[in-house]
Amino acid sequence: MTRDDLVAYCLAKPGAWPDEPWEGDTVAKVGSKIFAFLGAGPPPTVGLKCGPNREVADEWLRRYPDSARSMAYIGRSGWNTLTVGTGIPDDEILEAIDTSYDTVVSKLPKRERPT
């Protein structure tokens, strides 16, 4: 899976839109909130909300110690960076994107939720 594949998958979500707050990186947002950080790579990376808290998100770190790391810079609980093509199956990365999107949408004010 390429970075372009990740970006396309994220932006195909209802109400998703791209932003580029940092040079070379794209974030996927829904409403006013980020649900994916898409690193410039190589290799491609995607930062996602991987659980409601750090404990749940840490399961990714245990399962894929060479392919997942906590997002130290974001300062938000439950966010990890997953590296594509280094051990995490593509379908699990896509499921993680779905989960991140759904989690973020569920916390949006109703007026910002996609219809």
Side-chain angles (χ1 to χ4, degrees):
M1 186 164 32
T2 68
R3 182 177 187 274
D4 289 342
D5 295 333
L6 290 172
V7 171
Y9 188 80
C10 289
L11 297 182
K13 299 284 183 199
W17 59 280
D19 194 9
E20 294 188 5
W22 309 283
E23 185 176 328
D25 290 332
T26 299
V27 296
K29 291 184 170 184
V30 60
S32 62
K33 302 293 182 181
I34 296 170
F35 71 90
F37 292 82
L38 300 146
T45 60
V46 59
L48 301 167
K49 179 81 170 160
C50 289
N53 56 49
R54 187 77 256 151
E55 183 178 301
V56 174
D58 282 351
E59 180 59 29
W60 283 91
L61 308 180
R62 286 187 285 280
R63 286 177 51 210
Y64 301 106
D66 297 330
S67 304
R69 65 184 188 281
S70 63
M71 289 187 70
Y73 304 115
I74 192 168
R76 296 181 185 159
S77 181
W79 287 79
N80 290 336
T81 299
L82 309 179
T83 304
V84 176
T86 60
I88 303 173
D90 288 351
D91 63 327
E92 286 191 41
I93 290 177
L94 297 179
E95 287 176 28
I97 291 170
D98 295 342
T99 298
S100 184
Y101 173 84
D102 292 342
T103 301
V104 170
V105 166
S106 73
K107 295 182 183 212
L108 288 172
K110 288 190 187 231
R111 69 182 180 278
E112 287 190 44
R113 292 182 188 173
T115 54

